[in-house]
Amino acid sequence: MSKERNFVYPKDVNTFAFDWGRLALTVAPEVNGAARFSGGVVDLQKGQGHTRHNHPGAEEIIFVISGSGEQMVEDEAGNPVVQKVGPGCTVYVPESRFHSTTNTGDGPMQLFVVYSPAGPELALRELPDFRLVPPGGA
């Protein structure tokens, strides 16, 4: 794949599909040569979300594009802090901190996520409900 892919749509890349939703990496070393971070679009269906997890050694930014939900990010002491989030909200997840997102709205929820450094999202391939959907696939 060309390292000069500067303009990328989610429909043009492989999608990680799960029972809870989808992740289309539009920025990543394997997509366009991004060296210091990766990112992409997450789609969560109504009532769905990803369970509590962390990314050892990586920070994450979650930007809510549409929909609404509940976001949990642990504080420095490991206590869960939950807040309602909606369009325009940016969530910062410090390095290695546990977090989770649940769509509590009336329709789909869409997020843009960024991981720094790139790579922690590749562990999602190990989840039991992981399916790789090629570009343009259903």
Side-chain angles (χ1 to χ4, degrees):
M1 193 168 285
S2 170
K3 299 296 184 194
E4 293 297 319
R5 292 187 71 190
N6 297 324
F7 305 95
V8 182
Y9 289 91
K11 67 179 178 56
D12 297 330
V13 295
N14 287 330
T15 298
F16 294 8
F18 308 91
D19 293 345
W20 51 263
R22 297 172 158 250
L23 166 62
L25 288 174
T26 53
V27 178
E30 65 275 16
V31 174
N32 46 22
R36 295 184 180 93
F37 58 87
S38 59
V41 177
V42 174
D43 291 297
L44 299 174
Q45 296 306 311
K46 181 179 175 181
Q48 297 295 311
H50 58 77
T51 57
R52 177 185 178 274
H53 67 284
N54 73 340
H55 307 288
E59 297 175 294
E60 182 176 359
I61 297 168
I62 303 169
F63 179 79
V64 181
I65 298 170
S66 63
S68 60
E70 288 187 348
Q71 180 67 50
M72 184 281 289
V73 179
E74 287 186 342
D75 66 16
E76 291 178 3
N79 301 307
V81 177
V82 179
Q83 185 166 326
K84 292 189 181 303
V85 294
C89 183
T90 299
V91 178
Y92 168 62
V93 182
E95 182 178 333
S96 305
R97 201 76 60 88
F98 281 91
H99 58 286
S100 63
T101 309
T102 304
N103 178 350
T104 58
D106 294 330
M109 184 178 192
Q110 191 171 63
L111 314 168
F112 189 83
V113 298
V114 177
Y115 306 96
S116 178
E121 69 284 353
L122 298 178
L124 294 170
R125 292 175 175 260
E126 305 304 319
L127 295 175
D129 61 340
F130 170 81
R131 298 175 307 282
L132 187 65
V133 179

